[in-house]
Amino acid sequence: MNKRKLEAKDLFKLQSITNPVISPSNKEAVFIRTEMSEKDNKYYAYLYHVNLETDEETQWTHQKENISSPRWSNDGKYIAFLSNREDKNQLFLLSTKGGESKKLTNLEKGVTSFNWSPCGKKIWFVAPLKEGANWDDEPKKEENKKPEAYVVDKMKYHADGVGLLPQDVYRQIGRIDLETEEIEQFTKGNHQHSLQAVSYDGKKLVIGVNREENQDFSFKQPIYLVDTETKEESLLVDEDGYFGGASFSYDNQYIAFVGANRTFQNATHAEVYVYNTQTGLKEILTEGIDAPVGDYAGGDLQQGSSAPNVVWTKDNHLYFQLSSMGDVRLYFASLEGELYPATPENEHVYGYDIANDGTFALGTISNSVFPGELFRLNLTTGERKALTSFNEKLLEEVELVEPEAIVYKGAKEWDVHGWLIKPAGYVEGKKYPLVVEIHGGPHTLYANTFFHELQLLAAKGYGVLYVNPRGSHSYSQEFVDAVRGDYGGGDYEDIMAGVDYVLSEYDWIDKERLGVTGGSYGGFMTNWIVGHTNRFKAAVTQRSISNWISFYGVSDIGYYFTPWQIGADMTDIDKLWDASPLKYAVNVETPLLILHSENDYRCPIEQGQQLYITLKGMGKETSFVRFPQSDHNLSRVGLPNLRQTRLEQITGWFEKYI
């Protein structure tokens, strides 16, 4: 059978299989399947059940909605989940014996997250609440409400994907009685609370809350152990950085969580911590590994995917994800110091759960030519079995190209890791153009995972080079930190060294027909490249940064991200300007397409506007495409039709100029 070439519109045929959760009996599980509807121009996520004794798979929800966060009750009789079927996410309950799901909450601002009480009669939840209000007397949404002025008195007042942050609204923890449906508010005060874990005896919670009055320059959320009856608190951790994702061991003696301090600001590797509730001592289980705990892979599939930070087994062993050398693997750890990978190389474990007896895992797993399905993994033998095949039909239809892993010397003679994809339908002896793709972050990574955009470029007849320059995760702490204070320096050298490497090693690449593209940090780097070299015949910059001076004040993270990454604030305008691609616009000779989302608060659209008007005013070859109703995540979870348009714009620009 001759396979056809992959197309942009195949986005609508890709299925995202995520969020496996094993039942307490280890005999069944649930997971989520997400699809994009071309007709409705929306995403729909459905709850599925799988019998782990027979492998029989059953769809449990069918409404056009987004299901998220499925959780089993401790007796395995119910599944609770969040659904946006009535706009805001609300809490629903579904009997595992069948029947319709029951709506448990009707809160004005929805429910953020939840955890079962071990008794199975109550559910703890987190939901936004107006200052001084109660959930049972929240005002209902007013029709034809007049617009009101938004008074800003904080620096953290807007966020990408949200817009202006609700004022005088705070996330509070509450619990709902499943029999009476009465809600009791547990936390109070003008603070943002998170609920991370409930002990197996129901007596303790792990919560996160920062009670500092001014949090503009506070980058932490202290974690507390709280008595559910007396509300007495004991502090687990209180230091700058991210700490969270806590989980109790089955005997309640230990609490595991993941944390990254601010030693290297947002480039610091995350570690697995374990707190002993009896001794009050903390230890770091992963300090012997020079790689970050968690999943930092970039991509354009796996919508709605989330994975637990850590999972315990009943014999007090732990499992977690680790980003390592371009992979995201499942790792095992014991309290005695054992530490080793539980899944192989060359793949992306983007979701998982562990049977409580430690005998098997469920994993949602992808690789470079495999969009991802649900697998059962034998943790003793390493054997695996596919439980789903939702993407099988598409894989039978389209030609995908296996990337070749490469390693070369970058700046300072450091090893740089990347991949090269040959064009689909490659013919020996023929010359082909090459497109260089640059990831965002910069502290993310290209991984051994499916990336529709990269395969699409190959289908259009391009070779594709994508690498992990310094600043990328999954390598050493020194490597990921090396980009800070050196944007456009060693990272630029790493990328261009990769171009030189493949041109010297692969004679099928036409060195006169090179293109470059990237988004966010990758957009910054694309802008930087075309201002510093004329080697590329065409470039596409996406959701980019062009001017660090204006970025400082307009981005939702600008005022702190800029000093972290560039090493300067508004007291050192010269340093910010020297690091700004806009300064070098006069040097640009490469035709540049500028793509930007109108509701991007991370890299606001004025960054693209400045670059476009400057280049256009200089008579440069450029074009500007604006995407309405879209934020910084357009390429991942944006409106489906605009995601397709974006891909067509990229490939169309390269077809025109390369």
Side-chain angles (χ1 to χ4, degrees), residues 124-145:
W124 293 88
F125 68 89
V126 179
L129 187 60
K130 189 81 172 175
E131 180 182 2
N134 296 310
W135 281 305
D136 55 5
D137 63 1
E138 282 189 309
K140 300 307 174 187
K141 187 175 180 180
E142 298 178 32
E143 298 295 332
N144 303 316
K145 185 180 180 181

Side-chain angles (χ1 to χ4, degrees), residues 12 86 172 196 247 250:
F12 294 101
E86 296 177 10
Q172 303 290 359
Q196 299 190 19
S247 177
Y250 282 88

Side-chain angles (χ1 to χ4, degrees), residues 412-450:
K412 297 183 181 179
E413 290 296 296
W414 287 2
D415 283 348
V416 180
H417 180 206
W419 295 265
L420 180 65
I421 306 179
K422 285 183 176 179
Y426 170 82
V427 176
E428 190 76 33
K430 185 178 177 181
K431 290 280 191 178
Y432 292 92
L434 178 76
V435 172
V436 179
E437 281 263 6
I438 308 170
H439 68 62
H443 310 308
T444 58
L445 71 139
Y446 281 127
N448 287 301
T449 192
F450 185 82

Side-chain angles (χ1 to χ4, degrees), residues 305-551:
S305 176
S306 65
N309 287 56
V310 289
V311 175
W312 289 95
T313 62
K314 286 186 174 179
D315 54 4
N316 282 346
H317 292 154
L318 278 165
Y319 287 85
F320 55 91
Q321 292 163 301
L322 188 87
S323 293
S324 174
M325 302 295 291
D327 294 319
V328 180
R329 304 173 72 180
L330 197 61
Y331 261 68
F332 165 93
S334 73
L335 299 179
E336 292 73 39
E338 294 175 281
L339 192 64
Y340 55 79
T343 57
E345 298 176 329
N346 300 317
E347 63 183 23
H348 178 197
V349 180
Y350 61 89
Y352 75 100
D353 196 14
I354 310 294
N356 54 35
D357 61 6
T359 56
F360 71 92
L362 292 186
T364 46
I365 303 174
S366 172
N367 63 41
S368 55
V369 290
F370 184 72
E373 299 286 355
L374 178 65
F375 290 84
R376 178 176 177 141
L377 315 175
N378 186 310
L379 293 172
T380 302
T381 66
E383 293 177 297
R384 62 177 61 184
K385 180 179 184 180
L387 298 178
T388 65
S389 56
F390 292 102
N391 289 297
E392 184 176 20
K393 182 179 179 182
L394 179 63
L395 293 177
E396 290 173 348
E397 289 180 15
V398 300
E399 177 184 0
L400 300 176
V401 184
E402 182 89 43
E404 178 183 344
I406 60 172
V407 180
Y408 61 91
K409 295 296 182 182
K412 297 183 181 179
E413 290 296 296
W414 287 2
D415 283 348
V416 180
H417 180 206
W419 295 265
L420 180 65
I421 306 179
K422 285 183 176 179
Y426 170 82
V427 176
E428 190 76 33
K430 185 178 177 181
K431 290 280 191 178
Y432 292 92
L434 178 76
V435 172
V436 179
E437 281 263 6
I438 308 170
H439 68 62
H443 310 308
T444 58
L445 71 139
Y446 281 127
N448 287 301
T449 192
F450 185 82
F451 213 129
H452 173 263
E453 179 179 329
L454 304 182
Q455 290 290 336
L456 177 64
L457 286 168
K460 292 290 186 179
Y462 302 98
V464 185
L465 173 66
Y466 55 110
V467 305
N468 284 329
R470 64 199 56 219
S472 303
H473 258 313
S474 83
Y475 307 97
S476 71
Q477 181 66 79
E478 183 182 18
F479 191 85
V480 71
D481 187 54
V483 72
R484 293 195 311 116
D486 191 36
Y487 272 45
D491 50 355
Y492 170 66
E493 293 180 53
D494 285 350
I495 293 166
M496 298 309 296
V499 175
D500 292 336
Y501 173 80
V502 296
L503 289 177
S504 67
E505 295 292 322
Y506 302 88
D507 58 8
W508 56 265
I509 302 173
D510 187 342
K511 66 180 181 179
E512 303 300 326
R513 300 172 67 199
L514 303 178
V516 62
T517 185
S520 196
Y521 164 79
F524 159 84
M525 187 51 67
T526 300
N527 296 341
W528 186 266
I529 284 172
V530 297
H532 287 78
T533 179
N534 296 324
R535 293 180 65 180
F536 296 92
K537 289 197 69 175
V540 182
T541 185
Q542 308 168 52
R543 57 188 185 279
S544 70
I545 297 172
S546 66
N547 183 351
W548 287 105
I549 298 173
S550 61
F551 180 85

